[in-house]
Amino acid sequence: MTQKRALVLGGGGFIGGHLVKRLKSQGYWVRSVDLKEHLYFANPDEFVLGDLRSFDFTKSVLDLSNGEVFDEVYQLAADMGGAGYIFSGENDATVMHNSSQINLNVLDAIKGLTLDSGKSPTVFYSSSACIYPEEKQLDTENRGLKEEDAYPANPDSDYGWEKLFSERLYFAYSRNFGIPVRVARFHNIFGPEGTWDGGKEKAPAAICRKVANAQEGAHIEIWGDGNQTRSFLFIDECLDAIQNFMVSNFQGPINIGSEELVSINDLAHIAMSFENKNLAIMNIAGPQGVRGRNSDNSLVRAKLGWDYKLSLEEGLKITYFWIRDQLQKKA
Ligand code: NAD
């Protein structure tokens, strides 16, 4: 059997880095592309440092020479971060510009390859639960968002609007130029070997860091009243879903998430339980996003036979002790 070749765009990031590691362990030849190398592991066959906002650069990394094309392309590169980055308002233009330019470049480069060679890779695109309309997420008891809930559209952030535009871009290029695409909407992916400080970290990592750092009897700060709810999916399960999706015949869009809804205050209580820490929660003003968001996995169960299995507590425990180790190494 010939060795499969995969291109991971955004391979220096959290999900991309884990994906590179997974594909390598399965015998793929992998090229990873990013503005930065992965902080914790770097094991692609080839790492190319560069900026996917440049069309010429994007075209060059998609090229395997000799008229060959990658079997699989994973487009995970995006200008993104946690609530502090996405909802502050200060990064809206940059986020929209950078991410849509990357997606336009990727699709135009693949279109060129497809027209020249008559072959096309299967292209995975990572959209987000942030595309869902704000008015369907006003209640902490969110019943779970179905894929069809996306329209009429009204995402609560420009990050979400860009993702929705790019979803449509992938489907349009698929229809008009025969590029096979797989579009998934991730719901808060978390785990070890990801950003855990510096301002771009997400709630699970930020909370684990705050709890691991706090002395007994101290308090930790949580943005908003902490009753806002979300579901969180552990990274290994996200990779399982992506891989099931790639070998399916379904194009999406499809939710990849967990249905275990938790408030942010309760997320902090779970993190405290790992070392029996008794910390007060101080709820302070800060960006919180929508009031309640959960995944409805009916479609992903039916189409891919995939569902989340790991409890939030199990996944968070792995993440917590990994972040505690990082803090100890830094001390
Ligand atoms: P991440 O920020 O860790 O990874 C994204 C990577 O893209 C980064 O390493 C970054 O350097 C790279 N990148 C950004 N601009 C680039 C450019 N111009 N050229 C080359 N590389 C560039 O994020 P992640 O958590 O790994 O997310 C991966 C994808 O999944 C993103 O598209 C994100 O929007 C999407 N997503 C993630 C989540 C989540 O919970 N992590 C949820 C929904 C959607």
Side-chain angles (χ1 to χ4, degrees), residues 168-189:
R168 300 192 68 96
L169 199 63
Y170 281 82
F171 288 124
Y173 273 66
S174 176
R175 283 195 307 277
N176 293 170
F177 306 113
I179 301 169
V181 298
R182 303 284 180 273
V183 175
R185 295 173 181 159
F186 292 154
H187 290 246
N188 302 310
I189 315 303

Side-chain angles (χ1 to χ4, degrees), residues 199-261:
K200 280 197 166 187
E201 67 279 16
K202 312 279 185 51
I207 286 174
C208 286
R209 186 197 69 233
K210 289 178 187 181
V211 172
N213 242 339
Q215 302 298 322
E216 188 59 35
H219 72 265
I220 59 163
E221 291 182 344
I222 301 273
W223 286 338
D225 65 6
N227 295 323
Q228 64 271 29
T229 54
R230 295 292 184 276
S231 68
F232 298 93
L233 181 72
F234 192 65
I235 180 68
D236 292 358
E237 306 215 292
C238 172
L239 299 183
D240 295 341
I242 294 174
Q243 293 201 291
N244 283 7
F245 195 14
M246 286 300 269
V247 296
S248 78
N249 291 321
F250 189 57
Q251 295 219 329
I254 205 157
N255 287 330
I256 294 185
S258 156
E259 293 176 325
E260 189 183 340
L261 195 66

Side-chain angles (χ1 to χ4, degrees), residues 254 259 296-308:
I254 205 157
E259 293 176 325
D296 180 315
N297 285 1
S298 312
L299 188 67
V300 71
R301 275 194 287 269
K303 294 286 183 190
L304 308 186
W306 173 90
D307 208 351
Y308 74 102

Side-chain angles (χ1 to χ4, degrees), residues 9-17 33-38 48-54 57-58 75-81 86 98-99 102-103 124-130 159 162-163 184-190 193-195 200 202 232-233 235 256:
L9 305 171
F14 169 54
I15 302 172
V33 180
D34 205 298
L35 289 170
K36 58 174 174 62
E37 286 207 49
H38 198 277
V48 190
L49 186 74
D51 191 336
L52 293 162
R53 288 173 301 178
S54 151
F57 175 72
T58 306
Q75 201 322 66
L76 300 157
D79 192 349
M80 65 107 64
I86 297 297
N98 290 347
S99 295
I102 294 171
N103 288 313
F124 176 86
Y125 173 60
S126 50
S127 180
S128 167
C130 290
Y159 168 78
E162 188 283 326
K163 287 287 186 194
R185 295 173 181 159
F186 292 154
H187 290 246
N188 302 310
I189 315 303
F190 76 102
E193 288 113 6
T195 307
K200 280 197 166 187
K202 312 279 185 51
F232 298 93
L233 181 72
I235 180 68
I256 294 185

